[in-house]
Amino acid sequence: LFSSRFVGINASDINYSAGRYDTSVKPPFDIGFEGVGDVVALGLSASADYSVGQAVAYVKAGSFAEYTVVPAKQAVPLPSAKPEFLTLMVSGATAYISLKELGELSEGKKVLVTAAAGGTGQFAVQLAKKAKCHVIGTCSSDEKSGFLKSIGCDRTINYKTENVESVLRKDYPDGVDVVYESVGGKMFDLALNSLATKGCLIVIGFITGYQNPTGLQPVKAELLPAKLLKKSASIQGFFLNHYLSEYKMALKHLLKMYERGDLVCEVDFGDMSPEGKFTGLESVFRAVDYMYMGKNIGKIVVELPHSVNSKL
């Protein structure tokens, strides 16, 4: 049994609660995918590997809860219950595994990251830089642009003040080799058109469509076969659940990088949101709204304060 200290907000929370991931799940059901906390009680089999008070992270449906029961094999021991570790569980692992398995990064490749200052974008930028790639990141404010430059992004494009299409056409006439795409809609079309010969577009998500009742904004994909053929290009979807065999290895690597100081894990507690910091489960809905307003820099995390008089 774990006492949750921090829970992570993901764009996919809305898809899950809308029943798009598993139509067989009927309300009421628990939501949230990840948390960091402390062990407060142990089953018999877990006591060999864990002790009460130990810090752990976990990924499981139903994480928006003050106390969570997690099978021992699904828990990840941590040096401390820091919110930075939470950023790695879904957002960091998604970037690491998808770029490693699908991106085939190598020195000099041009990598475009959309929503680059977001929860998972921040890791795509840093991991592509570590692979000696040239990284272009789209974002929606000068503040985000500054953050991206601070983590090594070579060219930032603030789509509120610059035209992404013309910047890409002018500065990257030969196209980009890899796109880490989580926005969808018009941005997907733009990214597709900017692919280089043998380029690969990795679909991580399409946040612009998640709030629609149908869940998808149409893209202009009628010419897709011709566009891909002309460039020998590819589009690949990436869903973390299908790569769980790689997960432990990815997480181990990311944790090491963070502890060495080689990885920035930016956390956004909503201090700049209209009603202030996200504290307590009742602020989860505000945190989700804040994400969809595109305000966050880094991963949105909600802190769960704990009462010392807890009966558990």
Side-chain angles (χ1 to χ4, degrees), residues 1-304:
L1 178 68
F2 297 112
S3 155
S4 305
R5 297 267 296 278
F6 303 99
V7 292
I9 302 295
N10 292 286
S12 44
D13 289 333
I14 242 177
N15 278 348
Y16 188 66
S17 59
R20 289 184 195 130
Y21 283 166
D22 185 353
T23 46
S24 69
V25 178
K26 296 284 175 270
F29 54 86
D30 295 330
I31 53 174
F33 291 122
E34 56 186 340
V36 159
D38 307 303
V39 177
V40 288
L42 293 160
L44 285 175
S45 60
S47 50
D49 303 309
Y50 294 94
S51 55
V52 168
Q54 188 171 352
V56 283
Y58 46 89
V59 175
K60 74 181 279 281
S63 295
F64 291 159
E66 287 168 340
Y67 292 92
T68 311
V69 176
V70 179
K73 62 178 185 297
Q74 283 179 20
V76 178
L78 298 175
S80 61
K82 281 168 73 170
E84 284 78 8
F85 291 121
L86 187 56
T87 66
L88 303 175
M89 301 301 293
V90 172
S91 302
T94 293
Y96 183 90
I97 300 170
S98 64
L99 289 173
K100 181 173 174 286
E101 297 291 315
L102 312 177
E104 294 177 358
L105 302 182
S106 58
E107 188 171 350
K109 277 194 172 183
K110 296 181 199 69
V111 179
L112 170 65
V113 181
T114 64
T120 190
Q122 65 173 329
F123 294 110
V125 167
Q126 293 178 82
L127 294 168
K129 282 306 295 175
K130 299 250 178 284
K132 298 188 167 69
C133 296
H134 176 91
V135 184
I136 309 129
T138 71
C139 63
S140 60
S141 72
D142 291 341
E143 197 189 350
K144 290 184 180 192
S145 196
F147 166 66
L148 288 172
K149 285 174 184 153
S150 78
I151 58 170
C153 195
D154 297 289
R155 173 66 160 101
T156 61
I157 309 173
N158 176 352
Y159 63 81
K160 296 275 175 80
T161 57
E162 291 185 275
N163 182 302
V164 180
E165 191 172 13
S166 47
V167 169
L168 290 171
R169 200 179 297 137
K170 182 165 115 358
D171 294 358
Y172 304 96
D174 296 329
V176 295
D177 302 297
V178 179
V179 183
Y180 187 86
E181 216 298 274
S182 59
V183 175
K186 291 189 180 101
M187 190 62 87
F188 172 89
D189 288 322
L190 253 171
L192 176 64
N193 293 338
S194 68
L195 279 178
T197 301
K198 295 184 182 174
C200 172
L201 188 156
I202 305 171
V203 178
I204 298 298
F206 30 91
I207 193 167
T208 48
Y210 293 171
Q211 287 180 302
N212 295 356
T214 55
L216 257 179
Q217 274 194 334
V219 291
K220 294 177 183 152
E222 299 93 338
L223 302 170
L224 191 59
K227 281 180 181 178
L228 295 178
L229 176 64
K230 193 170 74 173
K231 294 175 174 178
S232 290
S234 66
I235 299 176
Q236 289 193 263
F238 179 87
F239 190 45
L240 187 58
N241 293 18
H242 300 145
Y243 288 85
L244 294 178
S245 57
E246 309 291 311
Y247 185 75
K248 280 260 155 79
M249 172 277 302
L251 208 52
K252 210 169 161 183
H253 196 89
L254 289 164
L255 285 164
K256 270 204 189 102
M257 284 174 79
Y258 174 67
E259 287 177 336
R260 277 201 313 260
D262 288 345
L263 202 59
V264 171
C265 297
E266 190 68 20
V267 172
D268 191 332
F269 278 117
D271 295 299
M272 307 305 287
S273 72
E275 292 168 56
K277 189 174 172 177
F278 304 131
T279 308
L281 288 174
E282 63 277 10
S283 68
V284 163
F285 75 94
R286 279 205 298 123
V288 171
D289 277 350
Y290 180 68
M291 174 176 53
Y292 281 96
M293 287 189 282
K295 299 292 188 197
N296 58 299
I297 294 182
K299 172 90 182 180
I300 301 178
V301 172
V302 174
E303 183 169 8
L304 304 185

